[in-house]
Amino acid sequence: MGTRWRERTGRGVELSLRSRLRAGDQSAFGEIFDEHASALYGYAVRTLGDWAAAEDAVSLTFLEAWRLREKLHEEGEGVRPWLFGIATNVLRNTTRAARRHRAALARLPARETVPDFADELAGRLDADAELAAARRALARLRRADREVFLLCVWSGLEYAATAEALGIPVGTVRSRLSRARSRLRELTARELEPDRGIGQVRGGHGHVARSIQEQIR
């Protein structure tokens, strides 16, 4: 099927990627997966704070993209904003489902757990701790501001692309990002404040706070 859509039209112009996607060209979906899956995964990890859940979110994003392919406008250069817009909706639903799941688990009787101290997990545990520290600061933002920050700063979308992904004006993106940066400066300043009499950064995540702080300047 992909070969057919790579053929040139009578006007001598190759069909655009958007046109191929709208037509259900599977090779076109393979192309956008190869190009954007990694960035979408990073966005999902930072939003959810869970590596496995992020993988599921990326899979759901591409399934939704396939289902909604005919709604993609033929005009436009890239599909990155469209994909991130779908991912944002998937992550909103995933976050709500996770909250319901945690609430259900909290109602169950407590069970004794045995921690796994395998050496090969040490790196993942450190990464999880750093991710959790970053998400604690981000979680205090309004959802709308947090989504703009994640898309613009941590996913590298331009203002116009973020506006397209979220369906909001560019001016709103700018104002939300400015508000998010100001709020995160306050939050990371608290993370960097040493504990009295200990001389360590509060929570042991000063390097995480500094990393966020560098990105919000």
Side-chain angles (χ1 to χ4, degrees), residues 53-99:
E55 291 179 356
D56 292 340
V58 172
S59 297
L60 287 173
T61 295
F62 281 99
L63 285 173
E64 278 294 281
W66 176 263
R67 186 177 69 85
L68 300 173
R69 63 188 182 277
E70 293 182 0
K71 294 185 178 181
L72 175 65
H73 297 300
E74 291 190 15
E75 298 79 13
E77 297 181 359
V79 297
R80 187 179 178 92
W82 178 65
L83 284 175
F84 273 87
I86 294 174
T88 298
N89 288 328
V90 167
L91 292 171
R92 287 172 184 170
N93 294 333
T94 301
T95 300
R96 284 194 290 266
R99 282 198 298 266

Short mmCIF file of all heavy atoms in Angstrom, two decimals, residues 53-99:
data_model
loop_
_atom_site.label_atom_id
_atom_site.label_comp_id
_atom_site.label_asym_id
_atom_site.label_seq_id
_atom_site.Cartn_x
_atom_site.Cartn_y
_atom_site.Cartn_z
N ALA A 53 3.98 2.90 32.05
CA ALA A 53 2.76 3.61 31.67
C ALA A 53 3.02 4.53 30.48
O ALA A 53 2.14 4.73 29.63
CB ALA A 53 2.22 4.40 32.86
N ALA A 54 4.21 5.09 30.41
CA ALA A 54 4.56 5.97 29.29
C ALA A 54 4.59 5.19 27.98
O ALA A 54 4.15 5.69 26.94
CB ALA A 54 5.92 6.63 29.55
N GLU A 55 5.10 3.97 28.03
CA GLU A 55 5.11 3.13 26.81
C GLU A 55 3.68 2.86 26.35
O GLU A 55 3.38 2.92 25.14
CB GLU A 55 5.83 1.82 27.10
CG GLU A 55 7.33 1.97 27.33
CD GLU A 55 7.99 0.64 27.65
OE1 GLU A 55 7.25 -0.37 27.75
OE2 GLU A 55 9.22 0.61 27.78
N ASP A 56 2.81 2.57 27.30
CA ASP A 56 1.40 2.33 26.95
C ASP A 56 0.78 3.59 26.35
O ASP A 56 -0.01 3.51 25.40
CB ASP A 56 0.61 1.91 28.19
CG ASP A 56 1.03 0.53 28.70
OD1 ASP A 56 1.62 -0.24 27.91
OD2 ASP A 56 0.76 0.23 29.87
N ALA A 57 1.13 4.74 26.92
CA ALA A 57 0.56 6.01 26.43
C ALA A 57 0.99 6.28 24.99
O ALA A 57 0.20 6.78 24.18
CB ALA A 57 0.98 7.16 27.34
N VAL A 58 2.24 5.98 24.68
CA VAL A 58 2.72 6.18 23.30
C VAL A 58 1.97 5.26 22.35
O VAL A 58 1.55 5.68 21.25
CB VAL A 58 4.24 5.93 23.21
CG1 VAL A 58 4.70 5.96 21.75
CG2 VAL A 58 4.99 6.99 24.01
N SER A 59 1.78 4.01 22.75
CA SER A 59 1.02 3.07 21.91
C SER A 59 -0.39 3.57 21.68
O SER A 59 -0.90 3.54 20.55
CB SER A 59 0.99 1.68 22.57
OG SER A 59 2.28 1.14 22.70
N LEU A 60 -1.03 4.05 22.74
CA LEU A 60 -2.39 4.57 22.62
C LEU A 60 -2.43 5.81 21.73
O LEU A 60 -3.40 6.02 20.98
CB LEU A 60 -2.95 4.91 24.00
CG LEU A 60 -3.33 3.71 24.88
CD1 LEU A 60 -3.70 4.19 26.28
CD2 LEU A 60 -4.50 2.95 24.26
N THR A 61 -1.38 6.62 21.81
CA THR A 61 -1.33 7.83 20.98
C THR A 61 -1.35 7.48 19.50
O THR A 61 -2.09 8.08 18.71
CB THR A 61 -0.07 8.65 21.31
OG1 THR A 61 -0.15 9.13 22.67
CG2 THR A 61 0.08 9.84 20.36
N PHE A 62 -0.56 6.49 19.11
CA PHE A 62 -0.52 6.11 17.69
C PHE A 62 -1.78 5.37 17.27
O PHE A 62 -2.22 5.49 16.12
CB PHE A 62 0.73 5.30 17.40
CG PHE A 62 1.96 6.15 17.26
CD1 PHE A 62 2.84 6.30 18.31
CD2 PHE A 62 2.21 6.83 16.08
CE1 PHE A 62 3.96 7.11 18.19
CE2 PHE A 62 3.33 7.64 15.94
CZ PHE A 62 4.22 7.77 17.00
N LEU A 63 -2.39 4.64 18.19
CA LEU A 63 -3.67 4.01 17.87
C LEU A 63 -4.74 5.08 17.64
O LEU A 63 -5.55 4.97 16.71
CB LEU A 63 -4.10 3.09 19.01
CG LEU A 63 -3.35 1.75 19.12
CD1 LEU A 63 -3.77 1.02 20.39
CD2 LEU A 63 -3.61 0.88 17.89
N GLU A 64 -4.72 6.11 18.48
CA GLU A 64 -5.67 7.21 18.31
C GLU A 64 -5.38 7.98 17.03
O GLU A 64 -6.29 8.42 16.33
CB GLU A 64 -5.60 8.16 19.51
CG GLU A 64 -6.38 7.71 20.71
CD GLU A 64 -7.88 7.72 20.42
OE1 GLU A 64 -8.49 8.81 20.46
OE2 GLU A 64 -8.44 6.63 20.14
N ALA A 65 -4.10 8.15 16.71
CA ALA A 65 -3.73 8.85 15.47
C ALA A 65 -4.27 8.09 14.26
O ALA A 65 -4.78 8.70 13.31
CB ALA A 65 -2.21 8.99 15.38
N TRP A 66 -4.18 6.78 14.31
CA TRP A 66 -4.72 5.98 13.21
C TRP A 66 -6.24 6.14 13.13
O TRP A 66 -6.81 6.30 12.05
CB TRP A 66 -4.35 4.52 13.41
CG TRP A 66 -4.94 3.60 12.37
CD1 TRP A 66 -6.07 2.86 12.48
CD2 TRP A 66 -4.44 3.37 11.06
NE1 TRP A 66 -6.32 2.16 11.33
CE2 TRP A 66 -5.33 2.45 10.43
CE3 TRP A 66 -3.33 3.82 10.35
CZ2 TRP A 66 -5.13 2.00 9.13
CZ3 TRP A 66 -3.14 3.36 9.05
CH2 TRP A 66 -4.04 2.47 8.46
N ARG A 67 -6.89 6.12 14.29
CA ARG A 67 -8.36 6.23 14.31
C ARG A 67 -8.82 7.60 13.83
O ARG A 67 -9.86 7.73 13.17
CB ARG A 67 -8.87 5.98 15.73
CG ARG A 67 -10.39 5.93 15.85
CD ARG A 67 -10.81 5.60 17.27
NE ARG A 67 -10.51 6.68 18.19
CZ ARG A 67 -11.31 7.72 18.39
NH1 ARG A 67 -12.46 7.82 17.72
NH2 ARG A 67 -10.99 8.65 19.26
N LEU A 68 -8.04 8.64 14.14
CA LEU A 68 -8.43 10.01 13.83
C LEU A 68 -7.77 10.54 12.56
O LEU A 68 -7.83 11.74 12.29
CB LEU A 68 -8.07 10.93 15.01
CG LEU A 68 -8.72 10.60 16.35
CD1 LEU A 68 -8.13 11.47 17.45
CD2 LEU A 68 -10.24 10.79 16.27
N ARG A 69 -7.15 9.66 11.78
CA ARG A 69 -6.34 10.12 10.66
C ARG A 69 -7.11 10.97 9.66
O ARG A 69 -6.56 11.90 9.08
CB ARG A 69 -5.71 8.92 9.94
CG ARG A 69 -6.71 7.96 9.31
CD ARG A 69 -6.00 6.69 8.80
NE ARG A 69 -6.93 5.77 8.13
CZ ARG A 69 -7.69 4.90 8.75
NH1 ARG A 69 -7.68 4.85 10.09
NH2 ARG A 69 -8.48 4.08 8.08
N GLU A 70 -8.39 10.68 9.46
CA GLU A 70 -9.16 11.44 8.46
C GLU A 70 -9.47 12.86 8.92
O GLU A 70 -9.87 13.69 8.11
CB GLU A 70 -10.45 10.69 8.13
CG GLU A 70 -10.21 9.37 7.41
CD GLU A 70 -11.51 8.66 7.05
OE1 GLU A 70 -12.58 9.21 7.37
OE2 GLU A 70 -11.45 7.57 6.45
N LYS A 71 -9.28 13.13 10.21
CA LYS A 71 -9.52 14.48 10.73
C LYS A 71 -8.28 15.37 10.61
O LYS A 71 -8.34 16.56 10.91
CB LYS A 71 -9.96 14.41 12.19
CG LYS A 71 -11.31 13.74 12.39
CD LYS A 71 -11.75 13.79 13.84
CE LYS A 71 -13.13 13.15 14.01
NZ LYS A 71 -13.59 13.21 15.43
N LEU A 72 -7.16 14.78 10.20
CA LEU A 72 -5.94 15.55 10.02
C LEU A 72 -6.08 16.45 8.80
O LEU A 72 -6.41 15.98 7.71
CB LEU A 72 -4.75 14.60 9.85
CG LEU A 72 -3.40 15.23 9.54
CD1 LEU A 72 -2.93 16.10 10.70
CD2 LEU A 72 -2.36 14.13 9.25
N HIS A 73 -5.82 17.73 8.97
CA HIS A 73 -5.92 18.66 7.84
C HIS A 73 -4.80 18.38 6.83
O HIS A 73 -3.66 18.07 7.21
CB HIS A 73 -5.81 20.11 8.32
CG HIS A 73 -6.92 20.52 9.23
ND1 HIS A 73 -8.25 20.51 8.84
CD2 HIS A 73 -6.92 20.95 10.52
CE1 HIS A 73 -9.01 20.91 9.85
NE2 HIS A 73 -8.23 21.17 10.88
N GLU A 74 -5.12 18.49 5.57
CA GLU A 74 -4.12 18.23 4.54
C GLU A 74 -3.09 19.35 4.48
O GLU A 74 -1.94 19.12 4.09
CB GLU A 74 -4.79 18.07 3.18
CG GLU A 74 -5.62 16.80 3.06
CD GLU A 74 -6.07 16.54 1.64
OE1 GLU A 74 -5.51 17.18 0.74
OE2 GLU A 74 -6.98 15.72 1.44
N GLU A 75 -3.50 20.57 4.86
CA GLU A 75 -2.57 21.69 4.84
C GLU A 75 -1.66 21.64 6.06
O GLU A 75 -2.07 21.27 7.15
CB GLU A 75 -3.32 23.03 4.82
CG GLU A 75 -4.19 23.24 3.60
CD GLU A 75 -5.51 22.50 3.70
OE1 GLU A 75 -5.83 22.04 4.81
OE2 GLU A 75 -6.20 22.37 2.68
N GLY A 76 -0.40 22.01 5.85
CA GLY A 76 0.54 22.05 6.96
C GLY A 76 1.81 21.31 6.59
O GLY A 76 1.84 20.49 5.67
N GLU A 77 2.88 21.61 7.32
CA GLU A 77 4.17 21.03 6.99
C GLU A 77 4.43 19.72 7.73
O GLU A 77 4.77 18.72 7.13
CB GLU A 77 5.29 22.03 7.30
CG GLU A 77 5.20 23.30 6.46
CD GLU A 77 6.33 24.26 6.76
OE1 GLU A 77 7.16 23.92 7.64
OE2 GLU A 77 6.39 25.32 6.14
N GLY A 78 4.29 19.71 9.05
CA GLY A 78 4.60 18.53 9.83
C GLY A 78 3.40 18.05 10.62
O GLY A 78 2.35 18.70 10.66
N VAL A 79 3.56 16.90 11.26
CA VAL A 79 2.46 16.33 12.04
C VAL A 79 2.79 16.31 13.54
O VAL A 79 2.03 15.78 14.32
CB VAL A 79 2.14 14.90 11.56
CG1 VAL A 79 1.66 14.91 10.13
CG2 VAL A 79 3.34 13.97 11.73
N ARG A 80 3.93 16.87 13.90
CA ARG A 80 4.35 16.85 15.31
C ARG A 80 3.31 17.48 16.24
O ARG A 80 2.95 16.88 17.26
CB ARG A 80 5.71 17.55 15.44
CG ARG A 80 6.35 17.44 16.83
CD ARG A 80 7.70 18.16 16.82
NE ARG A 80 8.35 18.15 18.10
CZ ARG A 80 9.21 17.22 18.50
NH1 ARG A 80 9.49 16.21 17.70
NH2 ARG A 80 9.78 17.29 19.68
N PRO A 81 2.79 18.69 15.95
CA PRO A 81 1.78 19.27 16.84
C PRO A 81 0.53 18.41 16.95
O PRO A 81 -0.05 18.28 18.04
CB PRO A 81 1.46 20.62 16.18
CG PRO A 81 2.68 20.94 15.37
CD PRO A 81 3.15 19.63 14.87
N TRP A 82 0.11 17.83 15.83
CA TRP A 82 -1.07 16.95 15.83
C TRP A 82 -0.85 15.75 16.75
O TRP A 82 -1.71 15.41 17.57
CB TRP A 82 -1.34 16.49 14.40
CG TRP A 82 -2.47 15.54 14.23
CD1 TRP A 82 -3.80 15.78 14.47
CD2 TRP A 82 -2.41 14.19 13.75
NE1 TRP A 82 -4.56 14.66 14.18
CE2 TRP A 82 -3.73 13.67 13.73
CE3 TRP A 82 -1.36 13.37 13.33
CZ2 TRP A 82 -4.02 12.38 13.32
CZ3 TRP A 82 -1.64 12.08 12.90
CH2 TRP A 82 -2.95 11.59 12.91
N LEU A 83 0.32 15.13 16.66
CA LEU A 83 0.62 13.97 17.50
C LEU A 83 0.68 14.34 18.97
O LEU A 83 0.15 13.62 19.83
CB LEU A 83 1.95 13.34 17.07
CG LEU A 83 1.94 12.51 15.79
CD1 LEU A 83 3.36 12.06 15.44
CD2 LEU A 83 1.03 11.30 15.94
N PHE A 84 1.31 15.47 19.28
CA PHE A 84 1.42 15.88 20.68
C PHE A 84 0.06 16.30 21.24
O PHE A 84 -0.19 16.16 22.44
CB PHE A 84 2.45 16.99 20.84
CG PHE A 84 3.85 16.49 21.04
CD1 PHE A 84 4.67 16.21 19.96
CD2 PHE A 84 4.35 16.26 22.31
CE1 PHE A 84 5.95 15.72 20.13
CE2 PHE A 84 5.63 15.78 22.51
CZ PHE A 84 6.43 15.51 21.41
N GLY A 85 -0.80 16.81 20.38
CA GLY A 85 -2.16 17.12 20.83
C GLY A 85 -2.91 15.86 21.21
O GLY A 85 -3.59 15.80 22.24
N ILE A 86 -2.78 14.81 20.39
CA ILE A 86 -3.40 13.53 20.71
C ILE A 86 -2.80 12.95 21.98
O ILE A 86 -3.51 12.45 22.86
CB ILE A 86 -3.23 12.55 19.54
CG1 ILE A 86 -4.01 13.03 18.31
CG2 ILE A 86 -3.68 11.14 19.92
CD1 ILE A 86 -3.78 12.21 17.06
N ALA A 87 -1.47 13.03 22.10
CA ALA A 87 -0.79 12.51 23.28
C ALA A 87 -1.26 13.22 24.55
O ALA A 87 -1.44 12.60 25.60
CB ALA A 87 0.72 12.65 23.13
N THR A 88 -1.47 14.52 24.46
CA THR A 88 -1.93 15.28 25.63
C THR A 88 -3.28 14.78 26.10
O THR A 88 -3.51 14.60 27.30
CB THR A 88 -2.00 16.78 25.28
OG1 THR A 88 -0.69 17.25 24.94
CG2 THR A 88 -2.53 17.58 26.47
N ASN A 89 -4.18 14.52 25.17
CA ASN A 89 -5.50 13.98 25.54
C ASN A 89 -5.38 12.59 26.14
O ASN A 89 -6.06 12.25 27.12
CB ASN A 89 -6.42 13.96 24.33
CG ASN A 89 -6.88 15.35 23.92
OD1 ASN A 89 -7.03 16.23 24.76
ND2 ASN A 89 -7.09 15.54 22.63
N VAL A 90 -4.52 11.76 25.56
CA VAL A 90 -4.31 10.41 26.09
C VAL A 90 -3.76 10.49 27.52
O VAL A 90 -4.21 9.76 28.41
CB VAL A 90 -3.33 9.62 25.19
CG1 VAL A 90 -2.85 8.35 25.90
CG2 VAL A 90 -3.98 9.27 23.87
N LEU A 91 -2.81 11.39 27.76
CA LEU A 91 -2.21 11.51 29.08
C LEU A 91 -3.20 12.06 30.09
O LEU A 91 -3.17 11.67 31.27
CB LEU A 91 -0.97 12.41 29.00
CG LEU A 91 0.20 11.82 28.21
CD1 LEU A 91 1.29 12.85 27.98
CD2 LEU A 91 0.76 10.60 28.93
N ARG A 92 -4.08 12.95 29.67
CA ARG A 92 -5.12 13.43 30.58
C ARG A 92 -5.99 12.27 31.04
O ARG A 92 -6.28 12.13 32.24
CB ARG A 92 -5.98 14.48 29.89
CG ARG A 92 -5.30 15.83 29.69
CD ARG A 92 -6.18 16.73 28.83
NE ARG A 92 -5.54 18.00 28.53
CZ ARG A 92 -6.00 18.87 27.65
NH1 ARG A 92 -7.11 18.58 26.95
NH2 ARG A 92 -5.39 20.01 27.44
N ASN A 93 -6.42 11.43 30.10
CA ASN A 93 -7.26 10.29 30.44
C ASN A 93 -6.50 9.28 31.30
O ASN A 93 -7.06 8.70 32.24
CB ASN A 93 -7.76 9.61 29.17
CG ASN A 93 -8.71 10.49 28.38
OD1 ASN A 93 -9.38 11.36 28.94
ND2 ASN A 93 -8.77 10.28 27.07
N THR A 94 -5.22 9.07 30.96
CA THR A 94 -4.40 8.13 31.73
C THR A 94 -4.23 8.61 33.17
O THR A 94 -4.28 7.81 34.11
CB THR A 94 -3.03 7.95 31.07
OG1 THR A 94 -3.20 7.48 29.73
CG2 THR A 94 -2.17 6.97 31.85
N THR A 95 -4.02 9.91 33.33
CA THR A 95 -3.83 10.47 34.68
C THR A 95 -5.10 10.31 35.51
O THR A 95 -5.04 9.95 36.70
CB THR A 95 -3.44 11.95 34.59
OG1 THR A 95 -2.22 12.07 33.84
CG2 THR A 95 -3.24 12.54 35.97
N ARG A 96 -6.25 10.55 34.90
CA ARG A 96 -7.50 10.39 35.63
C ARG A 96 -7.72 8.93 36.02
O ARG A 96 -8.14 8.63 37.14
CB ARG A 96 -8.68 10.89 34.78
CG ARG A 96 -8.79 12.40 34.72
CD ARG A 96 -10.14 12.82 34.16
NE ARG A 96 -10.24 12.49 32.74
CZ ARG A 96 -9.94 13.35 31.77
NH1 ARG A 96 -9.52 14.57 32.07
NH2 ARG A 96 -10.08 13.00 30.50
N ALA A 97 -7.40 8.01 35.10
CA ALA A 97 -7.55 6.59 35.40
C ALA A 97 -6.60 6.16 36.50
O ALA A 97 -6.96 5.34 37.37
CB ALA A 97 -7.30 5.76 34.14
N ALA A 98 -5.38 6.71 36.51
CA ALA A 98 -4.41 6.36 37.54
C ALA A 98 -4.87 6.83 38.91
O ALA A 98 -4.69 6.14 39.92
CB ALA A 98 -3.04 6.97 37.20
N ARG A 99 -5.49 8.02 38.95
CA ARG A 99 -6.01 8.52 40.23
C ARG A 99 -7.09 7.60 40.77
O ARG A 99 -7.14 7.30 41.97
CB ARG A 99 -6.53 9.95 40.07
CG ARG A 99 -5.45 11.00 40.03
CD ARG A 99 -6.04 12.38 40.32
NE ARG A 99 -7.02 12.77 39.33
CZ ARG A 99 -6.74 13.51 38.26
NH1 ARG A 99 -5.50 13.92 38.05
NH2 ARG A 99 -7.69 13.84 37.40
#
